[in-house]
Amino acid sequence: MEYSPPPLFKQGASARAKAVICTLLALALLIADSRIHALLLLRQTVGTALYPLQMVALMPRNAANSVIDYFSSLSTVEKENQALRSQQGERAQQLQQAQLLVAENAQLRNLLGAEQRVPVKSLMSEILYDARDQFARKVILNRGSRHGVATGQPVIDDTGIVGQVTRVFPFTSEVTLLTDKDQAIPVQVLRNGLRSVAYGRGQSGYLDLRFVSFNADIKKGDVLVTSGIDGVYPAGLSVAKVVQVESKSTDAFAHIVCEPIAGIDRHTQLLILLVDPSPIARPDDEAAVPDSKADILSKRRLTESTRDKTREAAKEAVKDNNPDGARKNPQGAGVR
């Protein structure tokens, strides 16, 4: 009995024959596609039919890439945000420093112009810190006796008087501001030349014109300048501006409040005027004050006594030269 395998296990052509057939078919298709482009339409059709399957197969990979990109971009954005905030803080600080330098440059230019306008020699200085006394209006400058600073010298900025040097050390000096309650400065009204003295009011930052008559010619808006009669402050420097005038006929003096023109609380660079702070020598009292009545009487008596002594000496001389004539006319011997 002859054995035959079941139909499922029938091998048909051999594997070698199948390989040869497939190879020849592939070569024929390659030659046909490269030469006459016969398979272009078939390739496009197959690619179009397989595109949905490709997209479905790539969905897990695309989703994983999207999640990775989201978290990586979020981390990158946070880092960039922190870096931008840090740069913003640095830029803000640099901007403030640049604005401060611009303001200081403008102030120094104005001080240079003021130094050229002032007729006396001046010295540039800078405020180091305020004085420790909280009830006084004083500042400390970085110039002292080694730089030629002396007590009593005025201190100005580019607009007017700031104060006066009241204490000097080798490398620093103390300046009492114009608004200090113990500070006074002789002034005059620029409009009409009316002279007075301005006194500081302390922490309020204003000045008072005291002992001004209620009917004096002064009004709000008048500019006060230094009068120069004290011999310390050069004449013509701006001091203050009148902001309030109250005059009543019942009061002997007017109440006048002034605001300093100089930037007392704003600037850090100031000019020290190197003037001679010694007071002007005054004439002696005897030469300045006229003689009193008692002095005149004493001088007159001294003159008369000297004249009498001179007459007595002349009489004695005549008697010695002519004794006979003197006996005959004793009363008129000394008279001619």
Side-chain angles (χ1 to χ4, degrees):
M1 181 174 175
E2 187 179 354
Y3 174 76
S4 61
L8 182 61
F9 295 98
K10 288 183 178 180
Q11 296 181 357
S14 64
R16 183 175 297 175
K18 292 178 179 179
V20 172
I21 294 171
C22 290
T23 301
L24 294 175
L25 181 61
L27 292 173
L29 292 175
L30 289 174
I31 294 171
D33 184 49
S34 61
R35 296 294 182 182
I36 60 175
H37 303 287
L39 300 179
L40 180 61
L41 180 61
L42 179 62
R43 186 184 299 106
Q44 291 178 353
T45 303
V46 174
T48 303
L50 295 179
Y51 180 76
L53 298 178
Q54 293 177 355
M55 297 304 298
V56 171
L58 293 176
M59 285 180 62
R61 188 202 68 178
N62 294 335
N65 292 335
S66 300
V67 173
I68 294 173
D69 292 340
Y70 172 77
F71 286 106
S72 62
S73 61
L74 182 61
S75 177
T76 303
V77 168
E78 289 180 354
K79 292 180 180 179
E80 290 179 354
N81 191 13
Q82 293 178 357
L84 290 175
R85 286 182 178 180
S86 177
Q87 291 179 1
Q88 183 180 6
E90 294 177 358
R91 296 293 186 274
Q93 184 178 2
Q94 293 176 359
L95 178 61
Q96 292 177 358
Q97 292 178 352
Q99 293 176 351
L100 179 61
L101 292 176
V102 170
E104 288 183 355
N105 188 19
Q107 173 64 15
L108 290 175
R109 288 179 179 272
N110 294 332
L111 283 178
L112 182 60
E115 184 178 7
Q116 295 176 355
R117 292 193 303 268
V118 175
V120 298
K121 185 179 179 181
S122 59
L123 177 66
M124 186 76 68
S125 63
E126 185 176 358
I127 297 177
L128 296 178
Y129 54 88
D130 293 336
R132 297 179 181 178
D133 188 0
Q134 59 180 351
F135 299 102
R137 305 277 292 174
K138 299 180 180 180
V139 294
I140 306 299
L141 302 183
N142 63 342
R143 294 290 186 268
S145 59
R146 295 293 184 88
H147 307 92
V149 181
T151 304
Q153 292 176 342
V155 179
I156 66 172
D157 64 357
D158 59 309
T159 56
I161 297 291
V162 173
Q164 188 177 23
V165 178
T166 53
R167 189 179 298 178
V168 179
F169 303 98
F171 299 100
T172 59
S173 58
E174 181 185 77
V175 175
T176 301
L177 299 180
L178 197 64
T179 54
D180 187 83
K181 56 184 178 61
D182 297 328
Q183 191 71 1
I185 178 173
V187 296
Q188 66 179 6
V189 180
L190 184 62
R191 179 172 55 85
N192 55 18
L194 178 66
R195 290 197 302 270
S196 182
V197 179
Y199 296 85
R201 300 184 63 181
Q203 296 296 328
S204 64
Y206 288 90
L207 302 172
D208 276 336
L209 280 185
R210 303 176 187 174
F211 313 117
V212 177
S213 177
F214 72 93
N215 59 354
D217 183 14
I218 185 170
K219 57 185 179 181
K220 183 178 179 181
D222 282 341
V223 177
L224 304 179
V225 298
T226 53
S227 61
I229 60 176
D230 59 344
V232 176
Y233 293 96
L237 296 179
S238 300
V239 178
K241 184 178 181 180
V242 178
V243 296
Q244 182 181 358
V245 178
E246 294 181 0
S247 57
K248 299 180 181 178
S249 59
T250 57
D251 297 335
F253 303 106
H255 179 66
I256 303 174
V257 180
C258 307
E259 182 181 7
I261 294 179
I264 294 179
D265 298 328
R266 297 190 296 269
H267 302 317
T268 57
Q269 289 83 20
L270 301 174
L271 281 179
I272 303 175
L273 301 184
L274 302 179
V275 299
D276 186 7
S278 59
I280 301 175
R282 296 182 178 180
D284 296 336
D285 294 337
E286 296 181 356
V289 180
D291 295 336
S292 60
K293 291 183 178 181
D295 294 337
I296 294 173
L297 291 175
S298 62
K299 290 181 178 180
R300 184 177 297 176
R301 289 175 182 174
L302 180 60
T303 303
E304 291 178 354
S305 62
T306 305
R307 187 180 300 169
D308 293 339
K309 290 180 180 180
T310 304
R311 287 179 179 178
E312 293 293 334
K315 290 179 180 180
E316 294 294 335
V318 171
K319 289 180 180 180
D320 293 340
N321 295 329
N322 191 6
D324 296 336
R327 290 174 185 176
K328 292 180 180 178
N329 191 10
Q331 293 180 354
V335 180
R336 295 183 179 178

